[in-house]
Amino acid sequence: QQQVKQSPQSLIVQKGGISIINCAYENTAFDYFPWYQQFPGKGPALLIAIRPDVSEKKEGRFTISFNKSAKQFSLHIMDSQPGDSATYFCAASTAGGYQKVTFGIGTKLQVIP
Amino acid sequence: DTGVSQNPRHKITKRGQNVTFRCDPISEHNRLYWYRQTLGQGPEFLTYFQNEAQLEKSRLLSDRFSAERPKGSFSTLEIQRTEQGDSAMYLCASSLETTNEKLFFGSGTQLSVL
């Protein structure tokens, strides 16, 4: 059972464009929603995260939008750069206690010059 | 380098052999996790340690898998009688109890079972 559904699985964006990745979750016990960035041969690295008490969080060119009623959240990468080319995972967990994180399937982003 | 260190980076083995991987977490982190990532998928939780205590094991962790963290510092993951389905990237992550949600992942050990 895929508890965090992510789309698209691959995405090609031109340099300077906006990359948008969408996720939906099923378990209403989730209350922490991180995004991870993974480069080939490396482990995932925490990029940005949001809790359900806010609808949007922005850090630099990266923004998470969160819709609690729809159980959906998305990552927007503004002014996408070739260096952003990586695989992005949305994820969900419960903030209290240890981090048994449920990951989405991943989106392979390619930013072309 | 003060990040999470995993060794070896790559392991090729024949079916039926035993393998052991090592993870050295960030030194002050008392929480340690093992995840498994197969090609084209997100990481899946395997097990969690709080200091030296193993507090949860996923049903993905069959009896052939065992993990230890004997002194609450480094951890080992052993797979006995490997099967081709065990081929995956095994990721270790650590965190501080006080900044719980911030997981720091290592670069993983890529296991190929022939």
Side-chain angles (χ1 to χ4, degrees):
Chain A
Q1 182 184 5
Q2 191 180 359
Q3 293 195 56
V4 178
K5 296 182 179 180
Q6 182 173 351
S7 63
Q9 290 190 35
S10 64
L11 182 61
I12 299 174
V13 173
Q14 284 207 313
K15 178 182 175 181
I18 303 173
S19 305
I20 302 173
I21 304 170
N22 300 299
C23 285
Y25 64 98
E26 299 169 4
N27 187 347
T28 54
F30 290 145
D31 58 2
Y32 181 72
F33 301 90
W35 285 86
Y36 283 84
Q37 180 188 55
Q38 185 176 31
F39 292 104
K42 299 291 187 182
L46 180 64
L47 185 64
I48 186 173
I50 196 168
R51 299 183 192 279
D53 53 345
V54 297
S55 60
E56 186 174 283
K57 183 174 182 180
K58 183 176 181 179
E59 290 184 2
R61 296 184 294 109
F62 300 91
T63 300
I64 302 178
S65 298
F66 188 86
N67 185 330
K68 186 174 181 179
S69 61
K71 294 189 287 186
Q72 295 176 346
F73 58 111
S74 60
L75 176 70
H76 291 61
I77 306 174
M78 312 299 288
D79 187 26
S80 299
Q81 298 297 312
D84 297 331
S85 297
T87 299
Y88 292 81
F89 295 95
C90 61
S93 68
T94 52
Y98 60 91
Q99 288 300 290
K100 185 178 177 180
V101 181
T102 300
F103 286 83
I105 198 169
T107 296
K108 188 172 184 179
L109 171 66
Q110 184 181 359
V111 181
I112 54 176
Chain B
D1 189 346
T2 57
V4 177
S5 177
Q6 291 189 246
N7 288 288
R9 291 295 313 279
H10 304 275
K11 179 70 177 178
I12 300 173
T13 190
K14 292 183 179 179
R15 189 177 53 184
Q17 298 295 303
N18 298 344
V19 294
T20 300
F21 311 139
R22 176 177 170 126
C23 170
D24 288 273
I26 294 172
S27 58
E28 63 269 27
H29 285 187
N30 59 338
R31 294 186 166 183
L32 186 145
Y33 308 80
W34 286 97
Y35 282 76
R36 181 171 69 187
Q37 184 177 20
T38 53
L39 195 63
Q41 300 292 321
E44 295 176 293
F45 172 84
L46 292 180
T47 190
Y48 159 68
F49 289 85
Q50 171 93 9
N51 299 310
E52 68 275 8
Q54 187 175 20
L55 298 185
E56 184 170 346
K57 292 170 60 174
S58 164
R59 57 180 171 78
L60 295 175
L61 220 60
S62 76
D63 291 344
R64 298 183 296 105
F65 288 71
S66 63
E68 295 183 340
R69 194 182 183 197
K71 297 183 179 179
S73 56
F74 73 92
S75 176
T76 58
L77 178 66
E78 180 183 17
I79 309 174
Q80 296 182 328
R81 305 180 303 282
T82 53
E83 301 174 355
Q84 286 185 329
D86 297 331
S87 296
M89 173 79 83
Y90 290 84
L91 293 162
C92 177
S94 68
S95 71
L96 265 176
E97 189 167 351
T98 52
T99 55
N100 178 50
E101 296 88 8
K102 292 187 178 180
L103 289 185
F104 293 82
F105 281 87
S107 293
T109 294
Q110 181 66 53
L111 173 65
S112 298
V113 181
L114 306 179

